[in-house]
Amino acid sequence: MTETGRLLGSGRSADVYEIDDAWVLRRDRDGWGDAAAEGAVMAYVRQHGYPAPRVRPTGSRTELVLERLSGPTLLGALGDGRVGVQEAGALLADLLRRLHAVPGRDAARPEDRVLHLDLHPDNVMLTPDGPRVIDWSNTEDGHPGLDWGMSAVILAQVAVDDAPLAGPAHALLSALLADPCELTESGLAEARRRRAANPTMSRREIELLGPAEELIRKLAFR
């Protein structure tokens, strides 16, 4: 097990610890992830110019050593007014398009692309060197429409809730789904199915999936 310093933050399934000024350790709490596979895909997309953090191999399925990043998340920058919702939506769309321009990893399926499948404002860090996309634990190869669907459903669940972020999330979703957009009917349907099956979803979040899909259809398929 990698020696660490202080706890820097915690998510739904993992904790991030300080190693030194250049590196941090992300440790999965429940042991369901595959840190080695995640690190490999991050290294792969970086080789093709995509803004993912640098990684160091650990040989562990539960521990991932990655570049220590400075700066707010896109969500944080939205919250304090440093970034507007239109700009944030355009940035998310650009990051999806750039990712799907990276060649797929399976030569037998040249139409497939690397999919992040959890690209939302809290998984984009705004560093002094530009945005960096974090949390690649859900990554797989497939059709880009699914990636667009996952990002859209995540935002739409917030947009149809009665929380204070609903209005900004609606505007952000509208900006994300502006042309050009690769969302497809099948991608949206599969994204909803996966969110419903996600064990980290609360009962309330699952209840919002129906209204969320309706909103996405109004914005994307009108």
Side-chain angles (χ1 to χ4, degrees):
M1 182 175 290
T2 306
E3 293 187 9
T4 62
R6 63 190 176 97
L7 177 68
L8 298 176
S10 296
R12 293 196 186 204
S13 61
D15 302 307
V16 178
Y17 296 91
E18 180 182 58
I19 293 179
D20 54 34
D21 290 342
W23 301 94
V24 298
L25 173 79
R26 197 205 66 207
R27 179 176 291 149
D28 293 338
R29 288 192 297 272
D30 300 324
W32 59 267
D34 188 340
E38 186 176 352
V41 75
M42 292 168 71
Y44 177 81
V45 297
R46 272 186 60 83
Q47 290 172 0
H48 290 272
Y50 194 76
R54 292 178 294 138
V55 294
R56 285 192 338 212
T58 65
S60 169
R61 288 182 58 89
T62 59
E63 294 186 347
L64 179 65
V65 175
L66 64 160
E67 176 185 6
R68 186 169 185 170
L69 303 174
S70 63
T73 64
L74 181 56
L75 180 62
L78 276 164
D80 61 24
R82 278 180 281 180
V83 175
V85 291
Q86 295 297 322
E87 180 183 356
L91 175 58
L92 287 177
D94 180 64
L95 289 170
L96 283 168
R97 286 191 289 266
R98 288 174 63 186
L99 178 59
H100 302 150
V102 173
R105 294 173 291 174
D106 186 353
R109 296 182 59 86
E111 71 280 7
D112 283 356
R113 292 292 182 268
V114 177
L115 310 181
H116 185 277
L117 299 179
D118 199 21
L119 187 52
H120 56 74
D122 212 25
N123 278 340
V124 178
M125 292 194 67
L126 303 180
T127 78
D129 298 321
R132 295 290 184 273
V133 177
I134 62 173
D135 195 352
W136 294 77
S137 58
N138 294 331
T139 305
E140 62 185 61
D141 285 21
H143 190 280
L146 175 57
D147 223 359
W148 283 85
M150 293 298 291
S151 292
V153 170
I154 291 168
L155 293 177
Q157 283 176 284
V158 180
V160 298
D161 202 357
D162 55 6
L165 289 176
H170 190 292
L172 184 58
L173 178 65
S174 298
L176 173 71
L177 296 178
D179 291 336
C181 168
E182 294 188 61
L183 180 65
T184 61
E185 290 274 4
S186 61
L188 176 56
E190 177 63 9
R192 177 178 174 175
R193 186 195 69 77
R194 292 190 182 205
R195 289 290 282 178
N198 188 329
T200 70
M201 290 288 97
S202 69
R203 180 176 179 180
R204 174 61 177 166
E205 288 172 314
I206 292 175
E207 290 172 347
L208 293 171
L209 284 170
E213 182 177 357
E214 291 179 13
L215 175 60
I216 293 167
R217 290 185 177 280
K218 290 179 181 177
L219 295 173
F221 304 131
R222 55 192 171 188

